[in-house]
Each structure stands twice: as structure tokens, then as C-alpha cells.
Amino acid sequence: MTDRSVNELRARVAQLEASQGPRELETTAARHDLAGALHESGQLIEAVEQYALAWDGFARRFGSSHLFTLTCLNNFALVLRDLRRWDEALNLFGQVHTERAASLGSAHPLTLNAANNFLSVLVRKGDLAAAAEEYPAFVDACEHTFGPEDGTTQAVRRDYADVLRRLGWHEEVVRVLGTSAMWPVGQVLIGCARLLRYTGLFPVAMTASRYGAELTLSLHGGARTDLGAGRELRDDDLGIRCAVVAPRDLPEPYDPAEDLRTTADQVADALGALGEHLAEADRELGEGRLRVRVLVHHAHWPRLSAPPSLTVDRRLMSARDRTRHDRVMRSTPHHPAPEPAGRRGLLGSRGGFSVRLTSAPHVTVSTAIGLDALPPPSPAGA
């Protein structure tokens, strides 16, 4: 939506207010269109104001349970969700769901749409356990209405699996999807590298394993895409899920005008190279024996005085498998780097080493750095 379109709609609303009054139906409908255009163009605060007025206008004319009123209320709640006003959005989506269920039935597509929006807020809010409790009934309702093989049902099932994956309930993921939820970790990393290269966004955090990857990328002045804060990207073939955040939402905000494409490209290079070598290690160790997590080590980010690094968490691998894995990694061409002293933890000795990959000379790939500050992975989450 262009600024011109928004301005045209704003002028239309002003004209109708002057000629017919602010509460007439045509004015209310035009105001609803204006609020939608404002939402689409990112002018969220004004969109909230216009949706509130339109909602009041529809409710006065048709009542609080009319479909027009509920559609406006649903769109109003979507803006509140994008503003991260979670509790207000949950309250409105709950109201829409209750009213639609009473008038249309619990299995109607519009009722299910309201339920899906409610769950999306729970997930964005981070209340994953509550969402996991609600999803089974929602999946059953979608199967009843649309059929088990319908694209809508499949999308809902994948969303449910994403919640379970983020909770670390990987066995449940397999049950929900009906297929294996595991991928070669090398392929997952290469997919993450492609995503970083495509977007050019700053990688704030990343955790990748054979169960897919979770990334958080932040906007900056050098981004290669027009993605905005709050957007999500996903690759269902590799289990990759990415959320985009604004610099102001980070613990230590940086200048959003700063061009951080070089850093993003460095990490992309390292992820791609590391992915290729983990694929080789996977082949040498044998299926299922490479039990690692790869994390972006960002203790000093977004302060960029130190080079970014990646950490390979191998704490669930046996000492024999770690030794074999080290042999594969040491075959990687690299610049010499200091080798950390061996450490001993609850899971036994886990001496590590660092390499600087020639394809990304400013990025250190380490098997030990930063692990003391990380909880060990569970057997299901490695």
C-alpha cells in the first residue's frame, strides 16, 4: 500500500465525515478500509485509532455480534498483535472466537480463523506450553472441517509441530507430522547459510541441530530484503524457522542505519563451510551418531569488536565419536588458532579446538567456546 493510497483513503474518510457524519455506515466502512491500509503500510498507532472508531461504528449500527463488527474486531486485534500488545490482542481474539462460535458454530472456517489467530499470539508471546495444550483440539477441528489432507490442516499441523519442536518435545513432533522430524545437520546449516545470504540480515541468535533450526535476525541499513520486524520465514523441508526483530527489541540496541551485511555474510560463509564438513562427519560416523547443536556465539553481540563465532556443542557424543569428529574437522583447511585446554564436565572430558575457515577468515568455529554458559542438551534435543 503506497502513501498516496493511504492519503486518498484518509481524504475520503474526512469527506464522508463532513457530508454524512462520523457514525454513518459509509463513513465507518471507509474508516475500516483506511485502518487496513495503515496497518499494511506499517502505521500501526494510527491504524489502532481508526479500527477502534470503525469497531464502535459497526457495533452501534449492527450490534457487537454481527459479522461485520467481528471482522473489524479481528483486524483490530491483528494490529495489536503486531504492536506486541499481547494481552489486549488475546482478549479481542477470544471475544471474536466466542461470538463466531455462538453464531456460526465451532467448526466454521471463520471460527477456526479466530482460534488460529489466538494461538498465534500465544506463540509470539512465548507462552508455548499454553499453545501446546490448545493445539490438539484445534488440529482435530481443522481435520473435521477441511479434511486431514487439506492444505489448511497441514499448515496448522506444521505450526503445532513448530511449537513442540521449540519446547524440545521432538518425539511428539514425529507423532504430529507422521514422518521423521530429523534432518542431516549439515543440510540444515547450509539452508541457514542460504537464508542469511538472501536476506543480508544481522544474525542475533541461532540454534541448529538435526531437528531443524531457530534463528533470530535483526534489521539494519544494509538489508537485502524488505522484510519488517515481526515477519517470520520458514523452510518446512529443513525445519528452519526464522523470526525478524527490530534493533530496539534487542538487549543492547545498535544503530539500525549501520550496514551489517558483512557480518551476516561472514556467518553465512562459516555456516556453509561448517555444514559441508558436518555432512562429511555424518557420513563417516554413521547415521544418527552425529549428535550436535550449532549455536551462534553472541556473548559480545551486537557489539562487534570481537569476531563472531559459532559453537559446536558435542556434549552428547561419546568420547570415541568426538575423536572421530575431530579428525574430520582437523582435515579442514584453516588458519592456525589457539587450541583451548581440555575441560572436564559432568559428561566427562570434552577437549575442544578452534578453526578459522578459509572461506570465512573472520569467523571462528569452536567446539568449546561458550559452552560453560549453556545448559547441556537433553538426549532428545541434541
Side-chain angles (χ1 to χ4, degrees), residues 130-294:
E133 290 182 5
E134 300 287 343
Y135 256 113
F138 183 48
V139 171
D140 290 343
C142 289
E143 289 183 349
H144 174 76
T145 299
F146 303 110
E149 303 304 323
D150 183 81
T152 299
T153 305
Q154 295 292 340
V156 168
R157 195 177 286 116
R158 287 194 298 269
D159 290 341
Y160 180 24
D162 278 341
V163 171
L164 296 172
R165 187 179 293 115
R166 292 170 65 182
L167 287 168
W169 301 348
H170 298 295
E171 293 80 1
E172 287 296 300
V173 174
V174 174
R175 181 186 63 78
V176 169
L177 295 180
T179 58
S180 174
M182 293 185 291
W183 296 271
V185 65
Q187 290 185 18
V188 173
L189 290 183
I190 291 171
C192 293
R194 289 177 182 145
L195 181 63
L196 286 178
R197 180 72 70 184
Y198 164 71
T199 63
L201 298 182
F202 180 47
V204 176
M206 185 198 81
T207 302
S209 72
R210 59 184 181 152
Y211 293 107
E214 297 282 341
L215 292 87
T216 301
L217 305 181
S218 188
L219 299 167
H220 60 79
R224 299 188 179 100
T225 65
D226 58 356
L227 295 171
R231 290 288 302 277
E232 294 184 355
L233 302 172
R234 56 193 296 166
D235 181 342
D236 293 324
D237 292 332
L238 291 175
I240 296 173
R241 186 173 180 276
C242 169
V244 181
V245 300
R248 65 177 179 274
D249 295 326
L250 299 175
E252 299 180 47
Y254 56 85
D255 182 359
E258 188 174 1
D259 188 342
L260 299 173
R261 279 177 298 183
T262 300
T263 300
D265 288 346
Q266 288 173 356
V267 178
D269 289 342
L271 280 177
L274 181 60
E276 292 176 358
H277 289 283
L278 287 182
E280 178 65 29
D282 199 26
R283 286 190 293 270
E284 177 163 327
L285 293 175
E287 184 177 355
R289 303 196 67 85
L290 182 65
R291 301 177 65 86
V292 300
R293 291 188 307 179
V294 179

Side-chain angles (χ1 to χ4, degrees), residues 15-85:
Q15 179 187 10
L16 289 170
E17 283 183 332
S19 62
Q20 300 187 22
R23 292 180 177 173
E24 289 301 309
L25 179 58
E26 191 173 354
T27 306
T28 298
R31 193 185 304 281
H32 183 267
D33 291 342
L34 170 60
L38 290 165
H39 185 194
E40 187 177 342
S41 65
Q43 302 177 59
L44 303 185
I45 300 301
E46 188 178 355
V48 166
E49 297 170 355
Q50 295 298 329
Y51 268 132
L53 292 171
W55 176 30
D56 180 69
F58 282 127
R60 287 176 180 271
R61 180 63 179 269
F62 298 112
S64 61
S65 60
H66 192 276
L67 291 181
F68 286 174
T69 308
L70 294 177
T71 296
C72 180
L73 187 60
N74 182 79
N75 294 337
F76 184 8
L78 289 172
V79 183
L80 294 174
R81 181 189 67 180
D82 291 348
L83 283 169
R84 306 170 69 87
R85 290 160 62 172

Side-chain angles (χ1 to χ4, degrees), residues 80 84-93 118 121 125:
L80 294 174
R84 306 170 69 87
R85 290 160 62 172
W86 310 125
D87 292 338
E88 294 173 79
L90 287 171
N91 181 57
L92 294 190
F93 281 135
F118 183 90
V121 176
K125 184 182 178 183

